[in-house]
Amino acid sequence: MFIAFPFMMAMVGVIVGVICTIYVWVPKSANASTKGKADVIESLLWSLRINVMISSVLIIAGAAGLSFGFFGNDSSFSLARGMLDKNLPTFKLDNTLAQPCTPGAGGSLPVLLPVQDYYRPFDSLGFDYPSSNEIQWRLFIAILIGMYLGMIIGYLTEFFTAGSYSPTQGIGASGEYGAGAVVIQGLGVGMLSTVLPLALVVAVIIGAYNLLGSYTIGLAAVGMLSTLGITMATDAYGPVADNAGGIAEMAGMPSTVRDTTDALDALGNTTAATGKGFSNGSAILTAYALVTALVQDSGLSPPPRALVGAPGIQPQSLVFDRDEINLVDIYV
């Protein structure tokens, strides 16, 4: 179920993207014949925001259904041994001793007591997973923070690239002083626009890892890309509108036609930058999960079962602070 869950979540995003792309709401105020180009672009941006919000609501409903349906209290996952009740035989350290981690007399392992407990796995990086009755809402929250990260990055990208906001207007105004001023201010605004998205991505990585380890970091990336369908669909008509404007100009059509196509082309440029923000943010999240899986599968970091021992049985592997992991020649 853990393997199929991200794929099912991605399918929810595809279905929602198709629905919200077909039923796009455009306000009547987006009429170039009665309003200026900047007003038309702002109206179209609001139309895009509304459709993204609607898609996010549908994705939240789908994520809740998948999370609580497959991992809730009435699911087959919760009926497994050690999930809802403390009925899984395991071993714990004897905390009544002064030094519970010290090996017992004549042995190489600490004193371990047989107890009945929940199923509590941990990964090779030392993450201690929560009890099973917390799995469903942790997965749900991971999807939410990934989705909202993508939406916030989209809004920040829109602020720095749309012509109706001060960063782009300031770059345009600097053209009065020559091309050098445009280049300098453009580079400065571009560098500044990456600060907050980078900080948000780092915060999401830390928060998602504390939910369910590396798995929820990858799941947050899936949630982040779940609303990308409608944004990329908007990006697709940018070049189409540009070519249509060129044809309208060569055909000698009224200037209002060119104003309409220019507004659509400008919106396509903004959504193109938004799509790049989505892609870069999700790439960072998935790259971390990929490196974690690569380190474990390469043998440099032992799998969880190799770290587990039993009374009288030494674990196959032990991890110490002095162990080194080479990420350059990872298979050497």
Side-chain angles (χ1 to χ4, degrees), residues 38 40 74 159 172 289:
V40 173
D74 297 328
F159 174 75

PDB file of all heavy atoms in Angstrom, residues 38 40 74 159 172 289:
ATOM      1  N   ALA A  38      -3.377  45.480 -18.789  1.00  0.00           N
ATOM      2  CA  ALA A  38      -3.008  45.096 -17.423  1.00  0.00           C
ATOM      3  C   ALA A  38      -4.214  44.581 -16.651  1.00  0.00           C
ATOM      4  O   ALA A  38      -4.117  43.610 -15.894  1.00  0.00           O
ATOM      5  CB  ALA A  38      -2.379  46.285 -16.696  1.00  0.00           C
ATOM      6  N   VAL A  40      -6.848  43.164 -17.966  1.00  0.00           N
ATOM      7  CA  VAL A  40      -7.209  41.855 -18.527  1.00  0.00           C
ATOM      8  C   VAL A  40      -6.319  40.763 -17.949  1.00  0.00           C
ATOM      9  O   VAL A  40      -6.791  39.688 -17.563  1.00  0.00           O
ATOM     10  CB  VAL A  40      -7.100  41.886 -20.065  1.00  0.00           C
ATOM     11  CG1 VAL A  40      -7.299  40.488 -20.644  1.00  0.00           C
ATOM     12  CG2 VAL A  40      -8.137  42.841 -20.647  1.00  0.00           C
ATOM     13  N   ASP A  74     -10.324   1.321  10.207  1.00  0.00           N
ATOM     14  CA  ASP A  74     -11.126   0.225   9.688  1.00  0.00           C
ATOM     15  C   ASP A  74     -10.511  -0.418   8.456  1.00  0.00           C
ATOM     16  O   ASP A  74     -11.171  -1.201   7.768  1.00  0.00           O
ATOM     17  CB  ASP A  74     -12.540   0.727   9.346  1.00  0.00           C
ATOM     18  CG  ASP A  74     -13.277   1.233  10.575  1.00  0.00           C
ATOM     19  OD1 ASP A  74     -13.022   0.690  11.669  1.00  0.00           O
ATOM     20  OD2 ASP A  74     -14.095   2.170  10.440  1.00  0.00           O
ATOM     21  N   PHE A 159       4.047  36.905  -8.338  1.00  0.00           N
ATOM     22  CA  PHE A 159       4.332  38.269  -7.862  1.00  0.00           C
ATOM     23  C   PHE A 159       5.570  38.844  -8.538  1.00  0.00           C
ATOM     24  O   PHE A 159       5.606  40.036  -8.875  1.00  0.00           O
ATOM     25  CB  PHE A 159       4.519  38.248  -6.343  1.00  0.00           C
ATOM     26  CG  PHE A 159       4.966  39.555  -5.761  1.00  0.00           C
ATOM     27  CD1 PHE A 159       4.077  40.619  -5.630  1.00  0.00           C
ATOM     28  CD2 PHE A 159       6.277  39.740  -5.350  1.00  0.00           C
ATOM     29  CE1 PHE A 159       4.494  41.836  -5.095  1.00  0.00           C
ATOM     30  CE2 PHE A 159       6.705  40.940  -4.812  1.00  0.00           C
ATOM     31  CZ  PHE A 159       5.804  41.996  -4.685  1.00  0.00           C
ATOM     32  N   GLY A 172      10.801  47.420 -15.660  1.00  0.00           N
ATOM     33  CA  GLY A 172      10.433  48.172 -16.856  1.00  0.00           C
ATOM     34  C   GLY A 172      10.748  49.655 -16.726  1.00  0.00           C
ATOM     35  O   GLY A 172      11.215  50.289 -17.682  1.00  0.00           O
ATOM     36  N   ALA A 289      14.866  12.186  -1.351  1.00  0.00           N
ATOM     37  CA  ALA A 289      14.370  10.824  -1.186  1.00  0.00           C
ATOM     38  C   ALA A 289      15.163   9.842  -2.035  1.00  0.00           C
ATOM     39  O   ALA A 289      15.436   8.709  -1.612  1.00  0.00           O
ATOM     40  CB  ALA A 289      12.883  10.772  -1.534  1.00  0.00           C
TER      41      ALA A 289
END
